[in-house]
């Protein structure tokens, strides 16, 4: 096993970096879309049903089917990394969007009335009251989306996007358990580490309940 690790350590490191890059890019895009959209839905709640339904549909499409749908599209199909990032972004939308919407909508109306009575504008209420109070909810959505993306990113190797899934697919094809574990263990560790870090941030940002 030591010889195997010394032989493949460089490739494992490279594929781990690719995995992180795919996941990080997807999470960046998903957050940039979902948080503003979730905030907007709290102002226009009549649109929450249709938009959350669309995000839920994206979440339920099987990962290989999603990659298959994106392959024939112009520009996207030219580069596997683009396909992977778009697909992963689609899977990350629902948890962040739903938690942003629920977190802000769940704020006690009395708190918002006090903010209005203090003369705060809508923008001030958003950044000084609503977002700080909903931060732990939003981060919980980010936590769920990140762990989901780390797992689904292993499937990105099926379209040549790289990542730790390459080792897993090669191991399955060659019936080599060492290759499978070389891809599966780092992917699992990435998910656990991301979950632990975001879990700590979530608890740190959680507003304590009044006793």
């Amino acid at each position: 096993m030591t010889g195997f690790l010394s032989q493949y350590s460089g490739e494992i490191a490279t594929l781990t970096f690719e995995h992180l890059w795919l996941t990080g890019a997807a999470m960046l895009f998903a957050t940039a879309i979902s948080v503003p959209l979730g905030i907007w839905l709290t102002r226009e709640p009549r649109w929450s049903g249709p938009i959350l339904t669309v995000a839920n549909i994206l979440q339920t499409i099987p990962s290989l089917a999603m990659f298959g749908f994106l392959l024939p599209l112009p520009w996207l199909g030219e580069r596997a990394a683009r396909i992977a990032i778009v697909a992963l972004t689609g899977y990350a939308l629902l948890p962040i969007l739903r938690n942003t919407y629920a977190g802000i909508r769940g704020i006690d109306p009395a708190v918002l009335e006090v903010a209005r009575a203090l003369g705060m504008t809508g923008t001030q209420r958003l950044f000084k009251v609503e977002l700080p109070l909903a931060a732990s909810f939003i981060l919980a959505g980010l936590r769920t989306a990140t762990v989901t993306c780390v797992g689904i990113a292993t499937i990105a190797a099926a379209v040549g996007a790289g990542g730790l899934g390459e080792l897993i697919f090669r191991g399955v094809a060659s019936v080599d358990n060492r290759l499978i574990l070389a891809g599966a263990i780092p992917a699992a560790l990435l998910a656990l580490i991301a979950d632990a870090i975001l879990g700590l941030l979530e608890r740190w940002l959680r507003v304590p309940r009044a006793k």
Side-chain angles (χ1 to χ4, degrees):
M1 190 66 181
T2 304
F4 175 85
L5 289 175
S6 62
Q7 179 183 354
Y8 286 96
S9 58
E11 186 176 6
I12 292 171
T14 300
L15 293 175
T16 300
F17 177 79
E18 289 181 0
H19 207 94
L20 285 170
W21 181 77
L22 291 172
T23 303
M27 288 303 302
L28 183 63
F29 285 123
T31 303
I33 295 169
S34 296
V35 173
L37 184 57
I39 293 169
W40 179 75
L41 288 179
T42 62
R43 274 61 177 166
E44 300 289 342
R46 67 182 184 276
W47 291 100
S48 61
I51 290 176
L52 287 172
T53 299
V54 171
N56 189 60
I57 290 172
L58 291 175
Q59 184 86 6
T60 57
I61 297 174
S63 52
L64 279 175
M66 176 75 83
F67 289 125
F69 291 146
L70 296 175
L71 269 173
L73 296 180
W75 188 76
L76 277 180
E78 296 172 6
R79 292 191 61 182
R82 293 173 185 167
I83 296 173
I85 291 171
V86 170
L88 292 174
T89 300
Y91 284 114
L93 290 176
L94 179 62
I96 306 171
L97 177 60
R98 182 177 55 202
N99 279 38
T100 301
Y101 176 73
I104 294 177
R105 290 282 289 180
I107 295 172
D108 189 344
V111 174
L112 300 179
E113 285 300 323
V114 170
R116 291 190 187 94
L118 291 172
M120 286 188 179
T121 64
T123 301
Q124 287 174 327
R125 286 197 305 272
L126 175 64
F127 287 100
K128 294 185 178 181
V129 179
E130 293 174 297
L131 286 179
L133 289 176
S136 64
F137 288 90
I138 297 171
L139 201 56
L142 285 167
R143 182 181 177 186
T144 302
T146 301
V147 174
T148 300
C149 279
V150 170
I152 295 176
T154 57
I155 310 296
V159 293
L164 291 164
E166 278 197 16
L167 292 172
I168 297 173
F169 278 100
R170 279 163 49 191
V172 171
S174 60
V175 198
D176 189 337
N177 290 333
R178 294 176 304 173
L179 277 175
I180 295 172
L181 291 175
I185 291 175
L189 288 175
L190 286 178
L192 290 171
I193 291 169
D195 183 66
I197 293 172
L198 292 174
L200 288 173
L201 287 173
E202 181 188 342
R203 285 193 289 274
W204 181 61
L205 291 172
R206 186 176 296 143
V207 176
R209 295 182 180 179
K211 295 182 180 180

